[in-house]
Amino acid sequence: MDLSVSLNRLNLKNPILVASGTFGYAREMAAFVDFAELGGIIPKTVTPAPRPGNPPPRTVETASGMLNSIGLDNDGFDQFVAEKLPYLTSLGTSVIVNVAGKTMEEFERMAAVLSQQSGIAAVELNISCPNVSGGVDFGTDPELAARVVTAFRTTCELPVIAKLTPNVTSVVPIAKAVADAGADAVSLVNTFQGMAIDWKRRKPVLGNILGGLSGPAIKPLALRIVWQVKRAVSIPIIGIGGIQSIDDVMEFLLAGASAVQIGTANFYNPGLANQLIRELPDAIRFLRAETPKDIVGTLQTP
Ligand code: SIN
């Protein structure tokens, strides 16, 4: 079966990607994953300067999910380009570089450098991390979200995906704004802000108090947002949120996602994305369809 999908200017061999922050920079996963089979790899977010991240503990397991408060720990953009990107682009799959910045200028500087690199399929703009403060909060304001997409597109010819936060009253106006600004696709959604408490110690569990909730616990919420945005916005959606089975993948495609990202499940089943790619053709045939594209957004509602 032809599993390929096109997200405007981004063409993928299949719709199953691995999500930023759950797959390191891929080297860590080499023993468990057939990289070349994946629809794409989105490495951990990089920022212009190295970041030490938030104080520990940074993760805690919760019912059907986990909270993380990593705080964009990374070695910085220059080190990423020099040392991590060459390995990533040698793996035989699409590499979607994920970047975050505190100012428009930071995004523009990274855009200029990325536009000179070869082998990158697209850039995902992380304007939705719930665990950092300081700088401009691009992801919760439609106008600012649009401006960062415009700035990136003006400086860099690579396809651009905006990864949006669910921590707003409605994602729809933000998705509309980034679509109007020329984003090729939106990734929906990043984590939901939450907290965990150790009541016996009268303390929050996470060093940063608040964290982002991911995993199966958020799947119904993410599906709802994908469905709402699909009805309002015409650019492709990449669905994210607690996917751990082929049924979950199919639910996101029907809700309106053209592709999906496997996130939290990579921590306990790193071979899951490969397994889902192999299971996808039978699930598509079950609906008497011939390609993933045939079923995107075909949920039948009253
Ligand atoms: C983090 O590094 O804190 C998580 C990244 C994100 O949620 O975007």
Side-chain angles (χ1 to χ4, degrees):
M1 181 180 287
D2 175 13
L3 292 179
S4 65
V5 290
S6 295
L7 313 181
N8 279 317
R9 296 177 296 157
L10 172 62
N11 299 311
L12 302 172
K13 63 175 89 173
N14 65 65
I16 312 282
L17 305 132
V18 287
S20 179
T22 67
F23 210 74
Y25 298 95
R27 215 181 274 274
E28 302 86 328
M29 300 303 228
F32 312 104
V33 180
D34 177 354
F35 294 132
E37 192 183 33
L38 301 177
I41 294 175
I42 311 177
K44 173 69 180 164
T45 302
V46 284
T47 54
R51 288 179 57 90
N54 289 337
R58 292 172 166 188
T59 58
V60 56
E61 194 169 338
T62 58
S64 292
M66 65 178 281
L67 285 162
N68 89 78
S69 177
I70 308 300
L72 299 183
D73 180 341
N74 76 102
D75 293 335
F77 181 74
D78 294 342
Q79 202 262 13
F80 171 80
V81 170
E83 287 170 30
K84 298 191 169 103
L85 196 53
Y87 175 75
L88 283 158
T89 55
S90 74
L91 299 178
T93 187
S94 297
V95 175
I96 300 173
V97 174
N98 181 303
V99 295
K102 284 186 183 158
T103 63
M104 206 67 77
E105 293 70 35
E106 287 192 350
F107 277 104
E108 280 167 347
R109 184 177 88 74
M110 292 187 286
V113 175
L114 290 174
S115 68
Q116 305 300 314
Q117 309 303 312
S118 57
I120 301 174
V123 179
E124 184 176 66
L125 304 177
N126 184 357
I127 51 173
S128 48
C129 177
N131 303 325
V132 289
S133 54
V136 182
D137 191 2
F138 293 107
T140 57
D141 180 299
E143 201 181 311
L144 290 175
R147 274 175 51 200
V148 76
V149 170
T150 303
F152 212 92
R153 281 217 58 170
T154 311
T155 319
C156 180
E157 286 183 359
L158 289 167
V160 174
I161 302 161
K163 185 170 182 179
L164 302 185
T165 178
N167 299 308
V168 289
T169 307
S170 172
V171 181
V172 170
I174 299 166
K176 271 188 183 155
V178 297
D180 291 346
D184 290 86
V186 281
S187 293
L188 304 176
V189 287
N190 207 326
T191 55
F192 289 76
Q193 199 167 43
M195 71 187 294
I197 291 177
D198 180 346
W199 70 268
K200 290 181 181 156
R201 292 175 53 241
R202 295 181 194 251
K203 300 264 191 224
V205 175
L206 294 171
N208 198 46
I209 306 175
L210 303 181
L213 183 66
S214 61
I218 71 164
K219 191 187 83 174
L221 304 169
L223 277 175
R224 182 261 298 172
I225 292 170
V226 167
W227 182 71
Q228 287 175 325
V229 170
K230 178 67 180 175
R231 284 153 41 111
V233 175
S234 62
I235 60 171
I237 296 167
I238 306 175
I240 323 167
I243 295 173
Q244 58 174 350
S245 70
I246 193 64
D247 297 327
D248 297 336
V249 172
M250 296 300 284
E251 289 170 28
F252 271 92
L253 297 182
L254 261 67
S258 297
V260 295
Q261 295 178 18
I262 312 304
T264 302
N266 291 320
F267 294 121
Y268 56 86
N269 184 4
L272 179 66
N274 288 126
Q275 178 193 319
L276 297 177
I277 292 161
R278 289 173 207 145
E279 291 175 351
L280 188 56
D282 277 352
I284 290 170
R285 276 187 215 105
F286 182 88
L287 293 180
R288 300 187 201 293
E290 289 175 5
T291 70
K293 290 162 255 182
D294 298 340
I295 59 168
V296 171
T298 61
L299 184 72
Q300 296 173 356
T301 50

